Amino acid sequence: DAKTTQPPSMDCAEGRAANLPCNHSTISGNEYVYWYRQIHSQGPQYIIHGLKNNETNEMASLIITEDRKSSTLILPHATLRDTAVYYCIVRVGTLYGQNFVFGPGTRLSVLP
Amino acid sequence: DSGVTQTPKHLITATGQRVTLRCSPRSGDLSVYWYQQSLDQGLQFLIQYYNGEERAKGNILERFSAQQFPDLHSELNLSSLELGDSALYFCASSVTAGSGNTIYFGEGSWLTVV
């Protein structure tokens, strides 16, 4: 199973871009990279996912390296409400069933 | 609001008892997932159902069981409860069962065993 490695914590100044790295060196060719975040003890919130190309949506941008061994989630203008634990996930599964394996994630603190 | 509904939001019960947690998936989603999150552990995958059929199983204890009904709602049954079962239990849903599907989480059910 592909594993991910993230820094345990990061700080970011409010209004600045938050860049959260993730290593997934054992990812296979057909595995997607997903990002979720969890604010306090709320349900994990889907942010973005990608396979090979960079992706952008209204919440964030996802940059995946060409060799797909690492990726970076970018929150372009972090606000205090972005303080959360961010999870980088490589989904494990087949067409039959799947599992999202959550690691410890990165605790992002957005500072005023 | 993800569209996944879980009840009850909070539950306190005694050791040895049995509880049932309920989940209604997002409209149109056929697959449901159950996760457990305790203070000392991260999100642990328990089990996945698709259209009533079990599709993937994680570290679910034998004291725990789940099912998905014809109307697609799901229930997680926890029996012979122990103090260590105190946790936040999340349900998630997706359109289909396999790879390529984003899962969306509910707000969870807090279970406290005393």
Side-chain angles (χ1 to χ4, degrees), chain A residues 30 32 34 36 38 40-46 49 87 91-103, chain B residues 33 35 37 42-43 45 48 53-56 88 90 94 96-107 110:
Chain A
N30 61 351
Y32 284 78
Y34 277 77
Y36 282 78
Q38 188 174 25
H40 296 300
S41 296
Q42 297 177 17
Q45 179 188 23
Y46 165 76
H49 73 282
Y87 299 99
R91 187 192 50 236
V92 174
T94 66
L95 290 174
Y96 184 75
Q98 64 174 349
N99 170 20
F100 282 64
V101 179
F102 287 78
Chain B
Y33 310 73
Y35 282 79
Q37 186 174 36
L43 281 153
F45 169 69
Q48 177 199 11
E53 178 187 350
E54 182 183 309
R55 285 297 185 93
L88 194 48
F90 289 108
S94 65
T96 60
S99 299
N101 283 275
T102 299
I103 64 173
Y104 295 90
F105 284 81
E107 289 305 309
W110 276 101

Side-chain angles (χ1 to χ4, degrees), chain B residues 3-7 22-27 32 72-74 91 93:
Chain B
V4 179
T5 304
Q6 292 187 243
T7 57
R22 193 179 193 277
C23 170
S24 293
R26 295 187 321 155
S27 176
V32 293
L72 301 177
H73 91 272
S74 178
C91 174
S93 72

Side-chain angles (χ1 to χ4, degrees), chain A residues 41-91:
Chain A
S41 296
Q42 297 177 17
Q45 179 188 23
Y46 165 76
I47 301 174
I48 199 166
H49 73 282
L51 182 63
K52 293 181 182 178
N53 300 319
N54 298 338
E55 302 288 344
T56 295
N57 63 20
E58 66 279 4
M59 289 184 66
S61 294
L62 174 60
I63 308 298
I64 303 175
T65 58
E66 195 168 340
D67 62 7
R68 301 189 70 240
K69 293 185 177 182
S70 65
S71 61
T72 300
L73 178 74
I74 301 172
L75 307 178
H77 305 287
T79 70
L80 298 179
R81 293 189 300 174
D82 292 322
T83 293
V85 177
Y86 287 77
Y87 299 99
C88 169
I89 300 156
V90 175
R91 187 192 50 236

Side-chain angles (χ1 to χ4, degrees), chain B residues 72-83:
Chain B
L72 301 177
H73 91 272
S74 178
E75 293 180 357
L76 178 66
N77 300 296
L78 315 173
S79 62
S80 303
L81 285 167
E82 302 174 358
L83 295 178

